[in-house]
Structures are given as C-alpha cells and as structure tokens.
Amino acid sequence: HYLARSLRCGKSYTLGLVIADISNPFFANIARVVENEAKRFGYTVFYGSSDEDAEKSFDLIDMLINRAVDGFIIVPTENSQPKIRYLLEENIPFVLLDRFFPEIQTNYVSTNNYQASFDACTHLLEMGYKNIGLLGYESALHHMKERIRGYEDSLNIHGVQANAKWLRKVRIQEIGVKTREAIDEMLSSDQPVDAIIFCTYSLAVNSLKYINELGLKVPEDLGIVSFGQAELFDLYQCPITYIMQQMNELGKKAVEILIQKIENPDLLTQQVLMQATLIKRASSRKKELKQAKKSSN
C-alpha cells in the first residue's frame, strides 16, 4: 500500500538520516529514536554513517536523493556546508541534528553546548579543582568551538588564569596516539591538571584507558567530566560524571520539524537549542574531602 499511496500523492514516505558515526552510542541511540518516531508518522528511514567524512556524507545524500526520500535529518560533518547549501537551493526539506552552521539559515535541533561546557567546568571549580583541562577535537565545527568557549568563559568568570597546556585538541583521525600525548602534556605542565573535561565520548574512552595505564586514580588524582552518556561510564571503576544530552527529545523534535516542513514547504525556519543536564557522579567528587580522608589514614 506504500507504493500506491506514494503514487497518489507524490511522496515516498521515506526519510534519509545521515549520522556522523554509527559506532558512537550517542548516534546509534539517536538513529533508533528517529526511526521509531518516523514510524509513528508512517515514514520509513534509510540511514548511513558519514564517519566524519564530508565526501562520504555527500555520496550518502546523493544516493538518498536518488531513492527519492521526502526529506533529510543530517548530523553534518566538517566542510559539508556546500551540500547543505545545495539542499537549501533545491528546496529539499531537511533538519540538521546535534550540529549546525551558524552562518547558514537552516532548520536545526541541537544542544546548548556552550552552557553544558560552562556548567561542567563550573561544577569542577565548585568541587575544589583548580587546574582544569579540556580535551577536544581540532575542528571547525560550531558545537566543538562552543564547548571550548564555555570552558574558557567559566575559568575566566571564576578568576582562574588558564595555562596554555590545559586546553588540548586532537584530530579525530589520530585519536589513539594523540590523546595520550595530550594527556601527557596536561600532566607535565608546570601547573599539572587536577581535572579534565572530555568533549566527546570517544575522547573519554581513549583517555580513561590511558589514565588507568598511568596508574592514576579517579577522582583522587584526577577529576573527570565527559560529554556523552554511555553504559561504559557506569562500568568504569569510578562512575563518571557526564553531560547528558536530551537524546530522545533531540531525535523526536528533528522528525517533527522535518515532517512539518515536508507537509508545509513554506514553513518558517525552526531552530531549537536544548539544555543538557550535568549528571554528577563519583568521578568529580569534592577535592577537600579526599585530602581530609588521606590525612586521617
């Protein structure tokens, strides 16, 4: 009946979903939310993973256009602006999810990354940490810049003079080796870090392995806060404080906006920023308490 229905009204009742990295639990879960939500509206979802590669995302989008999808939900990669502009020019309905380009007027649903990062850094300062590092990606993407800006502003506002070695950025393609180097640099500075904020789940996973190898204890030697929620954060010997993005709401809202746009092409652009929540666990426990414990032993 799908074919009959699409022939009658010129729609395929399919949506294209292009995510950044299917191996990341955040995107895998969002894909499931999008699929379930689309189904409620009678749509099927075709999806693929760009693996953070602009060319690959272009190929996926072209392939899905050829399959006559009615619209797209896209987690854009770095340097994918030309394709986003193309979709706009061709009046193909789409919503950017999790990331967007502030210089291009598009529908998007994302997290307030600036606030999330600001809150994470402020929390560590309130817990008594003084030398707070941040590990992010070397990236021109807006959400990554916002996570860095929130961290820097929190240090500034709280009167902390940041050390240049506290902020490290690695290229996503070299995450294995470079993460270790970055942590070495943070720890070997004349003011070694006593806490680290990780900008992504993958950075946290790679780093925590290395922190274990170094024999460092969390949170005694190093306080930790990370973006991204995942089972791994519960399994780690010390439950990790993390920034929880509203995965279900992000996915549902993206589908809702897209279907509204498909049904009413003249609809005004909708831009939604959702607040993340800091889930406080043992990895960012108060610093004074730990020192008090040590002296009483």
Side-chain angles (χ1 to χ4, degrees), residues 38-230:
K39 197 174 169 188
R40 288 199 324 117
F41 289 98
Y43 283 78
T44 306
V45 178
F46 293 130
Y47 60 89
S49 179
S50 70
D51 300 327
E52 300 289 359
D53 178 322
E55 284 303 313
K56 200 169 171 191
S57 92
F58 294 176
D59 292 345
L60 270 170
I61 290 168
D62 287 339
M63 185 262 296
L64 292 163
I65 288 173
N66 291 334
R67 296 196 74 156
V69 295
D70 295 328
F72 285 93
I73 293 173
I74 300 168
V75 178
T77 59
E78 210 171 353
N79 306 320
S80 60
Q81 291 95 321
K83 203 66 174 178
I84 301 305
R85 290 200 170 97
Y86 168 80
L87 293 174
L88 276 177
E89 283 156 21
E90 296 294 318
N91 293 318
I92 296 170
F94 70 94
V95 179
L96 298 184
L97 176 59
D98 183 53
R99 309 165 178 181
F100 61 92
F101 301 107
E103 71 275 17
I104 311 178
Q105 189 61 19
T106 61
N107 289 316
Y108 64 72
V109 180
S110 181
T111 298
N112 186 336
N113 285 292
Y114 171 84
Q115 194 62 50
S117 192
F118 184 94
D119 293 348
C121 187
T122 302
H123 163 68
L124 286 167
L125 290 166
E126 285 167 353
M127 291 290 115
Y129 295 92
K130 298 207 166 38
N131 302 350
I132 298 166
L134 180 126
L135 182 58
Y137 284 132
E138 188 64 64
S139 167
L141 285 167
H142 181 65
H143 75 293
M144 191 53 64
K145 288 179 167 173
E146 286 292 89
R147 289 175 187 186
I148 292 168
R149 191 171 72 89
Y151 154 78
E152 290 177 329
D153 278 7
S154 173
L155 290 179
N156 273 335
I157 285 168
H158 293 93
V160 177
Q161 183 59 51
N163 182 309
K165 282 192 174 176
W166 294 352
L167 171 61
R168 298 285 94 188
K169 300 176 203 172
V170 300
R171 289 187 56 231
I172 198 161
Q173 295 78 6
E174 309 173 302
I175 187 170
V177 187
K178 294 294 181 192
T179 300
R180 292 167 170 251
E181 285 176 18
I183 286 174
D184 285 340
E185 284 168 353
M186 286 178 174
L187 292 169
S188 67
S189 101
D190 49 345
Q191 295 172 283
V193 295
D194 57 6
I196 302 179
I197 299 167
F198 295 112
C199 280
T200 71
Y201 169 77
S202 310
L203 287 169
V205 173
N206 277 277
S207 302
L208 289 169
K209 274 187 211 158
Y210 185 50
I211 286 164
N212 274 357
E213 282 172 35
L214 292 173
L216 294 172
K217 288 199 161 46
V218 176
E220 288 78 6
D221 303 318
L222 212 48
I224 301 285
V225 178
S226 182
F227 271 83
Q229 55 261 50

